[in-house]
Amino acid sequence: MTIAAVFRVTHNGRDITGRDDERPENVPIRAWRTIMKSGYVKAGVYWVENYRALRFSKAARFRYPKVYKRRSQAYFRRHLIDKTLPHDQQSDAAKAAEAKHRPLVFTGTLEAFTRQATVKAFQTRVSIQIPVPNYVTKRVRGGRVDMWAELTAVNTEEQNKLTAIVSEQVDRATENFLKTRTLPSLQG
């Protein structure tokens, strides 16, 4: 199963739609689409290399306060402590597990899966395909943690950085195209 983190960013203070009427007059439509894709590829690769790992840090709860759900003592008892301990020792073990806990990591499986993320760019957005285990679902039931939202959250700082990357790449690629008539590479 895979999930897609789709990011849209702004360029020159407005939402980039990739519409052909936004392109400079002397840039052909196909070249403009390639230039837009190159900006999104660069931003997607940057997200994978720099921001993916932040979901698995202790600071995740503070970086993404709108989506990160604080784990309960029952959560730590269920997932992170030895089930063979006597019941009276499980509470202390749960507190110790909470102190050294890294969000979104049970056994490291989810973190290992996300290392295989792939970037797919379009003219108007970037989609990052992240393979995940079956326990990460889009429809959360009961009191479970919405790991889907935690994996795909983007805070304001990240949004601004991704916007700057796309903006810079689009400007540079457009300028380069106008000078040399060569298109940017769509490889990360």
Side-chain angles (χ1 to χ4, degrees):
M1 182 167 124
T2 62
I3 64 172
V6 178
F7 303 118
R8 295 177 187 273
V9 297
T10 57
H11 178 62
N12 293 335
R14 62 184 178 153
D15 185 38
I16 295 177
T17 60
R19 294 185 319 228
D20 295 332
D21 62 344
E22 295 177 344
R23 71 181 166 84
E25 289 181 21
N26 46 358
V27 176
I29 291 173
R30 286 188 183 187
W32 176 247
R33 290 178 181 160
T34 303
I35 288 169
M36 292 299 296
K37 284 182 183 179
S38 73
Y40 280 114
V41 164
K42 196 161 194 106
V45 169
Y46 186 87
W47 185 90
V48 170
E49 291 174 353
N50 297 289
Y51 294 136
R52 177 202 58 82
L54 296 177
R55 275 105 184 111
F56 303 98
S57 68
K58 285 188 171 197
R61 189 172 87 212
F62 305 106
R63 284 187 67 86
Y64 313 103
K66 294 178 183 174
V67 297
Y68 187 85
K69 183 179 177 185
R70 185 174 175 86
R71 279 39 172 186
S72 65
Q73 283 288 323
Y75 168 90
F76 290 106
R77 267 191 225 111
R78 255 191 333 269
H79 296 289
L80 300 173
I81 65 169
D82 184 8
K83 307 292 189 275
T84 60
L85 288 174
H87 189 67
D88 58 331
Q89 293 178 2
Q90 286 186 2
S91 179
D92 294 335
K95 287 178 185 170
E98 183 177 8
K100 66 178 185 177
H101 176 60
R102 290 176 41 208
L104 293 180
V105 179
F106 295 146
T107 60
T109 305
L110 181 58
E111 187 175 15
F113 268 74
T114 63
R115 288 188 190 123
Q116 302 167 13
T118 57
V119 176
K120 192 172 183 183
F122 301 93
Q123 181 181 355
T124 58
R125 68 195 179 283
V126 62
S127 175
I128 301 171
Q129 302 291 327
I130 307 168
V132 293
N134 289 338
Y135 58 81
V136 179
T137 61
K138 196 168 193 173
R139 297 181 186 186
V140 181
R141 296 183 313 232
R144 292 191 177 186
V145 175
D146 189 357
M147 291 186 189
W148 187 291
E150 290 179 355
L151 279 173
T152 59
V154 176
N155 65 18
T156 309
E157 172 198 334
E158 293 171 2
Q159 183 74 27
N160 293 339
K161 181 64 176 175
L162 294 174
T163 298
I165 290 170
V166 172
S167 177
E168 180 184 325
Q169 176 64 21
V170 168
D171 291 342
R172 188 179 322 121
T174 302
E175 183 180 313
N176 187 38
F177 179 79
L178 293 174
K179 285 182 183 174
T180 64
R181 304 301 276 185
T182 57
L183 291 172
S185 170
L186 294 179
Q187 303 299 317

